[in-house]
């Protein structure tokens, strides 16, 4: 249990849906009504730009996917470090495992919002004073959070420290997001928006008990009405913090994680067999070695992409009535279809341009 009441609000939706504008209004209103102190953390400001080079087409840039996931993981680690210290009303030191770009960005954000002040600078680490140690604190996380598993990781953090937890999902017509995005100084590629739209998983309180404190807003709705709903949601989250896991529940989650790991391994083996079959088909059709190499590279990227997709789905412990095995079968079927598309495309290109 934490000593200082802390709640976390996940603000999610497509890029250019209006989340950042809504977040600024929420912060101002939370402070104005005296509900709590408020900290806004925007993932766009905290995560280095190279992590946002989302694959422009299926299967491309798998190394970027790993880097992007690593940055998000480090961000939550550092957020937990801050929560631990501010909950205990204690000064905060730099992480023991070293200072990275994410930590520097978070420190800058905390100082900018007057959450901390440098207290002492040592040879290997700095010490920071928590400026506001009393009264409730609301932390707003502004990001796309299009996979439910991304939000579930935040929920796990809230449950671990008995924090309040809620979600605000901002719906916006895709055409509006596309138009707004095109007007930005650094727009996201449109095909990336299409991928995000396809993979977007809005909160589903009916299926997932941990998503009970969720609110879905329309981007064209009334700001005054929406803010009133958000304040009510935040109040509910603060009054009913998440309960820590019982010992037996924790063991169930461990067992589930082991099961998920086994399913991932089995799926990886299945994907490898499908890739081998595709390579054999290409060889039987006398495709030259240079083209075979290109096919192998594209299929490997595709395999990594779909395994990442599967991992994100089955990591959602206890949140869905759909068995992990069934999810794995669905993803495998999709991979098989995409594999055939890649194979046929490359074989067609070779048949039309045999000299290459």
């Amino acid at each position: 249990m934490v000593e200082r009441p802390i709640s976390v609000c996940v603000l999610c939706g497509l890029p250019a849906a209006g989340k950042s504008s809504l977040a600024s209004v929420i912060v101002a209103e939370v402070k104005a009504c005296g509900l709590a102190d408020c900290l806004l953390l925007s993932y766009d400001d905290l995560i280095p730009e190279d992590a946002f080079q989302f694959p422009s087409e299926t299967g491309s840039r798998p190394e970027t996917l790993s880097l992007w996931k690593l940055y998000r993981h480090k961000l939550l680690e550092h957020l937990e470090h801050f929560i631990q210290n501010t909950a205990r009303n204690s000064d905060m030191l730099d992480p023991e495992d070293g200072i990275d770009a994410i930590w520097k960005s978070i420190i800058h954000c905390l100082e900018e919002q007057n959450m901390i002040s440098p207290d002492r600078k040592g040879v290997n680490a700095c010490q920071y004073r928590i400026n506001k140690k009393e009264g409730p604190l609301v932390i707003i996380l502004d990001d796309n959070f299009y996979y439910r598993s991304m939000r579930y990781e935040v929920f796990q953090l809230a449950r671990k420290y008995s924090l309040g937890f809620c979600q605000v999902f901002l719906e916006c017509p895709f055409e509006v997001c596309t138009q707004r995005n095109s007007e930005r100084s650094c727009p996201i590629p449109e095909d990336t928006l299409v991928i995000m739209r396809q993979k977007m998983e809005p909160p589903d309180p009916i299926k997932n008990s941990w998503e009970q404190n969720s609110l879905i807003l329309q981007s064209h709705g009334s700001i005054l009405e929406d803010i009133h709903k958000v304040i009510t949601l935040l109040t509910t989250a603060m009054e009913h913090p998440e309960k820590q896991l019982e010992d037996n529940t924790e063991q169930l989650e461990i067992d589930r994680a082991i099961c998920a790991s086994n399913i991932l391994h089995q799926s990886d083996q299945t994907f490898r067999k499908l890739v081998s079959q595709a390579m054999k088909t290409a060889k039987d059709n006398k495709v030259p070695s240079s083209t075979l190499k290109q096919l192998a590279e594209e299929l490997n990227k595709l395999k990594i992409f779909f395994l990442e997709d599967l991992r994100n789905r089955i990591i959602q412990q206890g949140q869905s009535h759909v068995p992990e095995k069934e999810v794995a079968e669905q993803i495998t079927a999709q991979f098989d279809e995409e594999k055939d598309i890649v194979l046929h495309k490359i074989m067609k290109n070779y048949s039309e341009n045999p000299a290459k």
Side-chain angles (χ1 to χ4, degrees):
M1 297 290 289
V2 298
E3 296 177 13
R4 183 184 187 187
I6 301 175
S7 296
V8 181
C9 176
V10 172
L11 185 57
C12 49
L14 284 173
K19 299 185 299 298
S20 296
S21 298
L22 177 62
S24 298
V25 176
I26 293 174
V27 171
E29 184 62 23
V30 167
K31 292 180 178 180
C33 70
L35 180 65
D37 195 14
C38 201
L39 169 64
L40 173 60
L41 297 178
S42 170
Y43 277 48
D44 285 353
D45 296 335
L46 299 175
I47 297 180
E49 291 184 4
D50 56 349
F52 292 105
Q53 298 175 12
F54 196 87
S56 59
E57 58 184 39
T58 302
S60 65
R61 297 300 298 276
E63 71 281 0
T64 303
L65 282 174
S66 299
L67 183 61
W68 171 74
K69 185 176 180 180
L70 173 63
Y71 281 144
R72 297 182 68 91
H73 178 71
K74 294 301 293 186
L75 197 159
L76 282 182
E77 270 190 1
H78 296 328
L79 175 59
E80 181 175 5
H81 185 59
F82 169 72
I83 288 174
Q84 287 174 332
N85 286 276
T86 194
R88 294 193 302 258
N89 294 327
S90 62
D91 291 339
M92 180 173 67
L93 294 173
D94 287 329
E96 293 182 359
D97 58 352
I99 301 171
D100 53 40
I102 300 290
W103 178 250
K104 290 179 181 178
S105 297
I106 288 181
I107 288 297
H108 175 75
C109 184
L110 292 173
E111 289 180 337
E112 198 173 48
Q113 297 185 51
N114 197 30
M115 288 287 160
I116 63 171
S117 299
D119 191 38
R120 187 172 68 250
K121 189 170 185 179
V123 177
N124 299 317
C126 291
Q127 180 170 304
Y128 304 91
R129 182 178 65 254
I130 306 295
N131 291 335
K132 302 175 181 179
K133 298 183 178 181
E134 296 180 357
L137 171 66
V138 170
I139 301 174
I140 297 176
L141 303 182
D142 174 11
D143 184 45
N144 304 308
F145 286 109
Y146 55 92
Y147 278 129
R148 186 171 290 110
S149 60
M150 300 173 181
R151 308 193 299 270
Y152 187 69
E153 289 175 340
V154 180
F155 169 76
Q156 287 178 307
L157 181 63
R159 184 176 58 189
K160 180 178 180 180
Y161 293 99
S162 296
L163 313 179
F165 175 82
C166 62
Q167 302 178 118
V168 177
F169 180 79
L170 189 58
E171 280 191 334
C172 182
F174 185 68
E175 298 74 18
V176 175
C177 291
T178 303
Q179 178 61 35
R180 290 175 179 172
N181 177 64
S182 66
E183 296 169 356
R184 290 178 165 179
S185 57
C186 297
I188 297 172
E190 187 170 341
D191 50 2
T192 297
L193 287 177
V194 172
I195 292 174
M196 287 187 171
R197 179 193 187 191
Q198 293 171 343
K199 295 185 176 296
M200 181 63 70
E201 298 175 337
D204 191 345
I206 296 178
K207 286 186 177 180
N208 312 311
S209 60
W210 65 272
E211 293 191 293
Q212 290 300 314
N213 284 346
S214 298
L215 180 63
I216 298 179
L217 301 176
Q218 303 298 323
S219 63
H220 56 274
S222 165
I223 289 292
L224 289 178
E225 275 188 31
D226 288 347
I227 290 300
H228 176 72
K229 292 177 182 177
V230 172
I231 295 299
T232 301
L233 179 72
L234 287 172
T235 302
T236 301
M238 293 168 64
E239 292 176 349
H240 303 281
E242 300 300 326
K243 295 180 179 179
Q244 293 179 333
L245 285 174
E246 300 292 338
D247 289 343
N248 61 331
T249 308
E250 187 172 2
Q251 184 60 48
L252 286 174
E253 290 220 343
I254 292 173
D255 294 341
R256 188 182 181 91
I258 293 173
C259 177
S261 178
N262 291 336
I263 289 175
L264 279 171
H265 175 71
Q266 293 169 6
S267 298
D268 180 52
Q269 295 301 310
T270 302
F271 287 3
R272 289 175 185 273
K273 289 180 181 179
L274 291 172
V275 169
S276 296
Q277 292 171 5
M279 295 300 297
K280 183 177 184 303
T281 299
K283 288 179 182 178
D284 292 345
N285 282 271
K286 311 300 181 183
V287 173
S289 58
S290 59
T291 305
L292 286 174
K293 181 179 180 182
Q294 178 190 356
L295 175 61
E297 290 175 351
E298 291 202 26
L299 290 178
N300 186 53
K301 290 177 181 178
L302 194 68
K303 177 174 72 71
I304 293 172
F305 182 80
F306 272 87
L307 282 174
E308 181 72 17
D309 192 8
L310 177 58
R311 182 179 293 107
N312 276 307
R313 290 174 185 270
I314 66 176
I315 198 176
Q316 302 164 24
Q317 295 103 320
Q319 67 166 353
S320 174
H321 298 305
V322 181
E324 290 94 334
K325 186 176 180 181
E326 184 176 331
V327 173
E329 290 173 351
Q330 294 171 357
I331 297 295
T332 300
Q334 293 171 11
F335 172 78
D336 197 19
E337 291 177 5
E338 292 293 332
K339 175 263 300 178
D340 287 341
I341 292 173
V342 171
L343 174 62
H344 294 155
K345 180 187 71 173
I346 285 185
M347 290 184 62
K348 180 180 179 183
N349 289 343
Y350 167 66
S351 64
E352 294 176 350
N353 304 280
K356 296 183 180 180

